[in-house]
């Protein structure tokens, strides 16, 4: 009796096993002993991702000779893909591989991408700079170097697609929510998780961007690769301590998809006695049975359960909030592109002989880090950015530097600080709010997909930004006129673009307020 009782109390209440498939004990698995390994992996991944993304606009324009508009489009498309792939990663992990295996496979792909990226930067570039009058003309780099670059970038995107939805959820799996002590530790885990994310990205913005511009781009891309290799080793070291979920449920994607398919199939059919009985007996929640009532037809022939229908309705209610958040996501896409190019034209001297990289200003966005408030701040951020750009253009004109591309404009780079800080504060309200919102409002079985749904907002936002840049470039260039995104930023009109973004953000914010006001919550907690 005395030996069996402690063992029973030590047994994990939830369905989890160790790496050999045995029932796990609290004293020998999970908790902080496992969480440290997982947080370390996420810090390394964010360091690697921001190590290549924060300064990529400068690499594409200065090293590969791409135009500012083309480079911005390419970065937005890549970032959009990287933010949408976690949806696929979550599906694969939940339906087939599990989180642990998905993280390992994704890490290998990630490392392969970073390795090829480093190799592409080390290849001899044929980019040269010539002058025609006062205009600087750049010739492109080799086709091999460009192709290898984009293959490596999209391998990184695939790797992140497996990493992002699984690592955090796997970390949360290490704490038993049914145990009071571990439940409190789980809340602390999310705080340390977010701190680690900010720390990893901040160090990358400050250090890697400096290495890339002052030492070597190959070294600047190689360091994140080495860090990811070390991180994978650290993750594997924790294998014996991890708790592995053994819940086997039908894929939530399949369940919810089946509800929509069945409801459409029964669109013209009369409501069956089953549907009428379910609604009459209030098995379906009253507010829910009246909202999206057409989905109740999926209950016919008992193909779908009441719970399946409720999950589908919960997901459908998220769509307006998801869509109206895209305006913010488009603004967010500019911090690593046009904001950085702005900074590259200004005086970045800290003390004689030392200049900070333009990309390092993104650090102040992280340093400053709820949804509606964040959207409003994002609008103010673009207004400030537009006013700062007007000031920059006027300064260039006053000093006769409009066509002198290699001359720094006598205007301190710290003029850009307000827009970076506002962007960071907007991120705090919006990003944290969206993460919390999607976690709380999706069905419980879909909570591992919550981070992927949140990230998909930024994925689509990046694609919309890329399309917007392409459309404006085509519409404003020609007839001897410079486009809004001319390579000579002193003749471009980023101020017009920022005003446009502010207008689009205001429209999205108004739509958001309308849908948020009528949103039906699954619980009492509000984040919007």
């Amino acid at each position: 009796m005395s030996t069996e009782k402690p063992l029973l109390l030590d047994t994990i209440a939830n369905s989890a096993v160790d790496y050999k498939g045995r029932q796990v004990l609290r004293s020998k698995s999970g908790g902080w002993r496992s969480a440290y390994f997982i947080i370390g992996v996420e810090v390394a991944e964010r360091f690697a991702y921001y190590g290549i993304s924060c300064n990529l606009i400068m690499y594409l324009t200065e090293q590969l000779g791409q135009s500012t508009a083309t480079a911005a489009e390419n970065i937005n498309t890549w970032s959009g893909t990287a933010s949408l792939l976690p949806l696929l990663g979550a599906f694969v992990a939940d339906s087939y591989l599990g989180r642990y295996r998905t993280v390992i496979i994704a890490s290998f792909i990630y490392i392969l991408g970073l390795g090829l990226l480093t190799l592409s930067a080390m290849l001899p570039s044929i980019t040269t700079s010539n002058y025609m009058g006062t205009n600087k003309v750049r010739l492109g780099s080799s086709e091999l170097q460009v192709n290898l670059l984009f293959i490596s970038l999209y391998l990184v995107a695939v790797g992140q697609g497996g990493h992002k939805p699984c690592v955090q959820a796997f970390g949360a799996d290490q704490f038993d929510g049914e145990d009071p002590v571990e439940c409190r530790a789980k809340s602390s885990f999310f705080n340390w998780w977010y701190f680690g994310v900010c720390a990893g990205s901040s160090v990358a913005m400050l250090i890697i961007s400096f290495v890339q511009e002052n030492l070597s781009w190959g070294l600047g891309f190689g360091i994140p690769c080495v860090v990811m290799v070390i991180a994978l080793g650290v993750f594997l070291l924790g294998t014996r301590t991890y708790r592995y979920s053994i819940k086997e449920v039908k894929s939530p994607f399949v369940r919810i998809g089946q509800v929509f398919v069945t409801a459409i199939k029964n669109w013209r059919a009369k409501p069956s006695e089953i549907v009428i009985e379910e609604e009459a007996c209030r098995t379906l929640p009253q507010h829910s049975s009246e909202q999206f009532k057409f989905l109740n037809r999926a209950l016919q022939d008992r193909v779908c359960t009441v719970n399946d229908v409720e999950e589908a309705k919960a997901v459908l209610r998220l769509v307006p909030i998801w869509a109206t958040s895209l305006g913010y996501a488009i603004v967010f896409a500019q911090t690593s592109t046009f904001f950085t190019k702005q900074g590259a034209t200004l005086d970045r001297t800290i003390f004689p002989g030392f200049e900070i990289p333009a990309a390092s200003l993104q650090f102040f966005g992280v340093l400053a880090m709820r949804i509606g408030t964040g959207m409003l701040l994002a609008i103010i951020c673009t207004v400030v950015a537009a006013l700062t750009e007007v000031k920059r253009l006027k300064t260039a004109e006053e000093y006769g530097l409009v066509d002198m591309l290699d001359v720094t404009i006598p205007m301190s780079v710290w003029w850009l600080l307000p827009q970076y800080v506002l962007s960071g504060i907007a991120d705090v309200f919006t990003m944290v709010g969206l993460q919390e919102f999607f976690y709380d409002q999706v069905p419980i079985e879909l909570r591992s997909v919550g981070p992927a749904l949140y990230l998909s907002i930024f994925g689509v936002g990046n694609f919309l930004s890329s399309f917007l840049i392409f459309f404006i470039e085509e519409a404003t260039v020609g007839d001897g006129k410079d486009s809004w995104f001319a390579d000579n930023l002193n003749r471009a009109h980023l101020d017009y673009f920022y005003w446009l973004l502010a207008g689009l953000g205001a429209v999205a914010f108004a739509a958001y307020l309308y849908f948020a006001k009528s949103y039906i919550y699954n619980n009492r907690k509000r984040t919007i």
Side-chain angles (χ1 to χ4, degrees):
M1 293 260 319
S2 61
T3 58
E4 291 181 1
K5 190 172 182 180
L7 184 63
L8 181 62
L9 292 174
D10 196 29
T11 300
I12 296 301
N14 59 12
S15 53
V17 295
D18 65 8
Y19 71 105
K20 288 187 176 181
R22 301 170 301 193
Q23 191 174 25
V24 293
L25 303 177
R26 289 192 182 95
S27 61
K28 297 182 179 180
S29 68
W32 284 109
R33 68 169 62 81
S34 300
Y36 290 134
F37 293 108
I38 299 171
I39 291 176
V41 170
E42 180 65 11
V43 171
E45 190 277 329
R46 288 294 83 189
F47 175 87
Y49 183 81
Y50 280 99
I52 62 176
S53 67
C54 71
N55 210 23
L56 191 56
I57 185 75
M58 301 304 296
Y59 182 72
L60 295 182
T61 56
E62 300 299 326
Q63 300 298 312
L64 300 189
Q66 293 188 354
S67 69
T68 301
T70 300
E73 289 174 32
N74 287 332
I75 292 172
N76 286 160
T77 302
W78 170 68
S79 298
T81 303
S83 297
L84 283 175
L85 282 176
L87 284 171
L88 177 61
F91 172 75
V92 171
D94 287 347
S95 303
Y96 302 104
L97 298 178
R99 291 165 187 160
Y100 175 78
R101 291 189 183 92
T102 302
V103 170
I104 292 176
I105 294 173
S107 296
F108 278 112
I109 297 174
Y110 214 127
I111 292 169
L112 175 62
L114 291 171
L116 291 176
L117 180 62
T118 303
L119 177 62
S120 72
M122 296 173 66
L123 289 175
S125 175
I126 62 171
T127 300
T128 59
S129 297
N130 296 321
Y131 288 87
M132 296 181 61
T134 57
N135 294 321
K136 186 179 181 181
V137 180
R138 286 179 301 227
L139 303 179
S141 57
S142 68
E143 184 177 351
L144 172 63
Q145 187 178 26
V146 173
N147 289 339
L148 188 58
L149 167 75
F150 283 104
I151 289 173
S152 61
L153 285 177
Y154 280 93
L155 281 173
V156 169
V158 172
Q160 189 198 232
H163 239 272
K164 208 62 180 160
C166 296
V167 178
Q168 185 179 27
F170 188 61
D173 288 345
Q174 306 310 308
F175 299 92
D176 184 3
E178 297 180 9
D179 178 73
V181 175
E182 291 202 3
C183 186
R184 288 192 296 272
K186 189 174 184 177
S187 298
S188 180
F189 164 78
F190 284 111
N191 293 331
W192 281 105
W193 175 274
Y194 192 70
F195 174 79
V197 167
C198 292
S201 55
S202 297
V203 172
M205 291 169 185
L206 290 174
I207 296 178
I208 298 301
S209 60
F210 179 83
V211 171
Q212 290 166 346
E213 293 196 10
N214 293 276
L215 297 178
S216 164
W217 283 95
L219 181 61
F221 291 145
I223 292 174
C225 181
V226 173
V227 169
M228 278 299 295
V229 171
I230 296 173
L232 176 58
V234 170
F235 182 73
L236 292 174
L237 283 176
T239 299
R240 293 174 177 268
T241 73
Y242 298 144
R243 297 172 185 171
Y244 303 85
S245 175
I246 59 172
K247 292 181 180 178
E248 295 183 1
V249 296
K250 187 177 180 181
S251 170
F253 291 97
V254 174
R255 289 200 310 273
I256 293 174
Q258 190 175 38
V259 170
F260 286 99
V261 171
T262 306
I264 293 172
K265 182 180 177 181
N266 296 332
W267 182 265
R268 295 181 178 276
K270 293 182 178 179
S272 68
E273 293 182 0
I274 295 175
V275 178
I276 296 173
E277 181 181 352
E278 295 281 5
E279 293 180 355
C281 296
R282 299 300 184 206
T283 302
L284 290 169
Q286 183 174 358
H287 69 270
S288 186
S289 63
E290 295 300 322
Q291 191 180 33
F292 308 127
K293 196 171 182 178
F294 70 93
L295 289 179
N296 294 352
R297 295 177 181 273
L299 293 170
Q300 294 191 196
D301 303 323
R302 297 191 184 275
V303 175
C304 303
T305 67
V306 172
N307 187 58
D308 293 339
V309 173
E310 286 306 296
E311 287 182 349
K313 290 183 178 181
V315 171
L316 201 57
R317 283 196 295 270
L318 297 175
V319 172
I321 304 299
W322 183 93
T324 52
S325 298
L326 293 175
Y328 164 77
I330 295 175
V331 174
F332 178 80
Q334 313 314 316
T335 57
S336 61
T337 53
F338 292 126
F339 279 21
T340 301
K341 289 296 289 184
Q342 273 183 295
T345 68
L346 302 178
D347 181 10
R348 294 173 278 125
T349 302
I350 300 298
F351 51 82
F354 181 78
E355 279 190 347
I356 61 170
S360 65
L361 289 177
Q362 295 173 51
F363 164 76
F364 292 98
V366 179
L367 188 65
M369 313 217 358
R370 300 284 168 171
I371 301 176
T373 304
M375 288 183 177
L376 185 59
L377 287 172
I379 296 171
I380 297 173
C381 172
T382 52
V383 170
V384 171
L387 294 174
T388 303
E389 180 64 6
V390 170
K391 166 71 175 173
R392 192 189 68 82
L393 292 174
K394 285 184 178 180
T395 302
E397 186 176 359
E398 288 174 2
Y399 284 85
L401 302 176
V402 172
D403 292 314
M404 301 177 68
L405 300 186
D406 287 344
V407 178
T408 300
I409 296 173
M411 174 179 168
S412 174
V413 73
W414 301 118
W415 276 88
L416 298 181
L417 190 60
Q419 67 197 59
Y420 276 102
V421 173
L422 282 170
S423 174
I425 297 173
D427 291 350
V428 170
F429 283 104
T430 310
M431 286 187 173
V432 176
L434 285 172
Q435 289 183 62
E436 198 173 330
F437 173 74
F438 279 103
Y439 181 82
D440 286 333
Q441 299 302 308
V442 296
I444 294 176
E445 293 83 357
L446 275 175
R447 281 184 173 172
S448 62
V449 186
L453 290 174
Y454 145 74
L455 284 171
S456 69
I457 294 173
F458 297 93
V460 176
N462 274 283
F463 279 116
L464 291 176
S465 176
S466 180
F467 171 77
L468 198 59
I469 293 169
F470 173 79
F471 178 79
I472 292 174
E473 175 76 2
E474 293 295 315
T476 59
V477 75
D479 297 329
K481 297 185 299 183
D482 292 299
S483 78
W484 287 11
F485 311 117
D487 290 343
N488 181 354
L489 286 189
N490 298 332
R491 289 194 175 276
H493 278 292
L494 289 183
D495 52 336
Y496 294 174
F497 181 59
Y498 292 148
W499 287 122
L500 175 63
L501 292 183
L504 292 174
V507 172
F509 180 59
Y512 165 81
L513 291 177
Y514 172 79
F515 288 112
K517 184 178 180 181
S518 58
Y519 183 83
I520 298 175
Y521 289 82
N522 287 340
N523 53 43
R524 301 292 184 189
K525 191 172 185 179
R526 292 180 173 237
T527 57
I528 61 177

